[in-house]
Amino acid sequence: MATTIKSDFVLSIISGILLSLGFPIFDFYPVAWFAVVPLLLALRGKNTKQAFLIGILSGLAFYLGTIYWVYHSMYHYGYLPLYVSILIMFLLCLYLSLYTGLFSLLFNYISVNFRLPAMITAPVIWVTMEYIRTYALTGYPWALLGYSQYKFLPVIQIADITGIYGISFLLIAFNGALFDVISAYSRRNDLNVSGKSLSCGIVVLIIVIGSSLFYGMGKLNDEPQGDTVKVSVVQGNIPQDKKWNYAFQRDVIDTYKRLTSEISSNNPDLIVWPETAVPFVYGRSKIYTKEINEFQRDYDNYLLLGAIASKENSRLANSSVLLSPEGSITAMYDKMHL
């Protein structure tokens, strides 16, 4: 029994590693279509405590492989000691792993007590956990499974209907179907799902995935409608430790002005600067705000820039500001959620 538990722990860790391979820096997105299968196999025959622990281990492997970079931000830009930065990163991964643990616990419980196919239960539970993680305790929606498919253009087009959760649902449903087939043709058919039910479920899943791909291909092949807008994007590539350093404030502003002047010869309709591109509080720093607005008047196009903007009651917001060719604010949008 102890040997079996150890091998299942290994399976769960393998599952987490495979999941992380679907995200940058590896970007091997096809692996996400079967990466959860080892975890589901590891959960067979386990009690509640074992299932939760197995899920935790899988989640740790997954999140350590995807959000490892958090320590770098805290160490290099937050000036925390290296060991403190690594500890905080580990604790964050451990917190996120609780959701994988809860997924495993609930999947194990429902599978044992209700004998439902994994292709139905697994995606429902997984997506529910992702949704809760997105909003609980202000939310942390990094590394939602559907994001791994950002290079698989035909399948991600359904996001305009379902959001990212629809893509995660397809991925886990496919993983669940693979698990159901393996279980059905192995000696450990814990689900006891009839062959007819399994066949019907797989047919429905194939239709859903096929329809999603058909919809996606149609979207990609749509003829563009309306007027063509020429857009130029400016990236100043300013290091984060210099961006808000007062000594480099002038250099940052001049860099974006210089790059914008260079691309204006292409006569774009819209020029886009990055998020929080300007190194001052827009609206509160009168001199620099006026400088950017007046600079915009020299070019016959719109400028969309990212800025920390001053709002009512001295509140600050991470905003996108659209300036007209006359240098006036046409629109402003404040980020509402991470």
Side-chain angles (χ1 to χ4, degrees):
M1 180 66 178
T3 303
T4 302
I5 291 294
K6 289 180 180 179
S7 63
D8 288 331
F9 284 167
V10 172
L11 276 176
S12 69
I13 293 172
I14 290 174
S15 194
I17 294 172
L18 289 175
L19 283 169
S20 67
L21 293 179
F23 290 81
I25 54 176
F26 302 102
D27 277 334
F28 186 55
Y29 66 86
V31 75
W33 292 88
F34 58 84
V36 183
V37 175
L39 172 60
L40 300 181
L41 291 173
L43 293 174
R44 295 192 297 184
K46 301 300 181 294
N47 60 39
T48 300
K49 182 179 178 180
Q50 291 169 340
F52 184 69
L53 182 57
I54 285 173
I56 291 287
L57 287 175
S58 187
L60 268 177
F62 174 34
Y63 293 114
L64 286 172
T66 50
I67 62 171
Y68 59 87
W69 52 267
V70 170
Y71 92 91
H72 183 275
S73 300
M74 293 184 288
Y75 175 60
H76 288 277
Y77 307 128
Y79 306 109
L80 293 176
L82 180 60
Y83 72 92
V84 174
S85 301
I86 293 176
L87 177 61
I88 294 175
M89 181 268 293
F90 180 82
L91 291 175
L92 174 60
C93 291
L94 185 59
Y95 160 70
L96 296 175
S97 299
L98 293 176
Y99 292 97
T100 317
L102 287 172
F103 161 79
S104 300
L105 184 155
L106 292 171
F107 174 78
N108 181 70
Y109 176 82
I110 293 174
S111 297
V112 170
N113 291 280
F114 296 95
R115 304 289 183 178
L116 294 173
M119 74 180 81
I120 295 176
T121 58
V124 172
I125 301 170
W126 185 282
V127 170
T128 300
M129 291 298 104
E130 285 196 338
Y131 186 83
I132 293 173
R133 177 161 70 86
T134 299
Y135 293 99
L137 303 175
T138 75
Y140 196 90
W142 290 88
L144 300 183
L145 189 56
Y147 289 138
S148 65
Q149 304 302 297
Y150 75 96
K151 288 188 174 182
F152 192 1
L153 298 184
V155 82
I156 65 172
Q157 301 307 310
I158 62 168
D160 64 355
I161 299 174
T162 66
I164 188 65
Y165 305 108
I167 302 168
S168 293
F169 191 97
L170 284 183
L171 289 168
I172 299 299
F174 191 83
N175 276 268
L178 292 178
F179 170 74
D180 287 336
V181 171
I182 293 173
S183 295
Y185 292 96
S186 71
R187 294 180 180 179
R188 295 181 59 184
N189 187 4
D190 300 325
L191 297 181
N192 195 28
V193 177
S194 69
K196 184 177 181 181
S197 298
L198 179 60
S199 299
C200 291
I202 290 176
V203 169
V204 172
L205 180 60
I206 291 174
I207 292 174
V208 171
I209 293 177
S211 299
S212 299
L213 291 172
F214 181 77
Y215 176 82
M217 293 300 296
K219 280 287 186 178
L220 292 173
N221 292 323
D222 276 350
E223 292 293 330
Q225 298 179 358
D227 299 328
T228 300
V229 177
K230 189 175 184 180
V231 180
S232 292
V233 179
V234 172
Q235 174 54 271
N237 198 26
I238 309 296
Q240 291 295 313
D241 55 344
K242 294 182 178 180
K243 185 174 181 179
W244 297 104
N245 188 325
Y246 182 79
F248 296 96
Q249 191 176 42
R250 183 74 263 165
D251 291 339
V252 174
I253 295 173
D254 288 345
T255 295
Y256 278 104
K257 290 174 67 175
R258 173 178 56 80
L259 292 173
T260 300
S261 298
E262 291 175 0
I263 64 171
S264 291
S265 59
N266 296 325
N267 298 316
D269 300 300
L270 173 67
I271 296 176
V272 180
W273 291 4
E275 180 181 14
T276 62
V278 294
F280 58 87
V281 178
Y282 188 87
R284 182 177 297 178
S285 179
K286 303 298 182 183
I287 295 176
Y288 287 127
T289 300
K290 182 179 179 183
E291 178 181 343
I292 296 299
N293 292 352
E294 290 183 347
F295 169 76
Q296 168 63 9
R297 296 173 189 169
D298 296 334
Y299 306 99
D300 187 25
N301 50 44
Y302 285 84
L303 172 64
L304 181 65
L305 61 94
I308 300 298
S310 178
K311 316 299 287 188
E312 64 278 358
N313 301 324
S314 300
R315 183 174 63 88
L316 298 178
N318 186 353
S319 304
S320 294
V321 183
L322 180 64
L323 297 179
S324 70
E326 294 76 31
S328 60
I329 298 176
T330 300
M332 182 180 291
Y333 174 80
D334 301 333
K335 178 182 281 191
M336 295 181 291
H337 187 253
L338 177 67

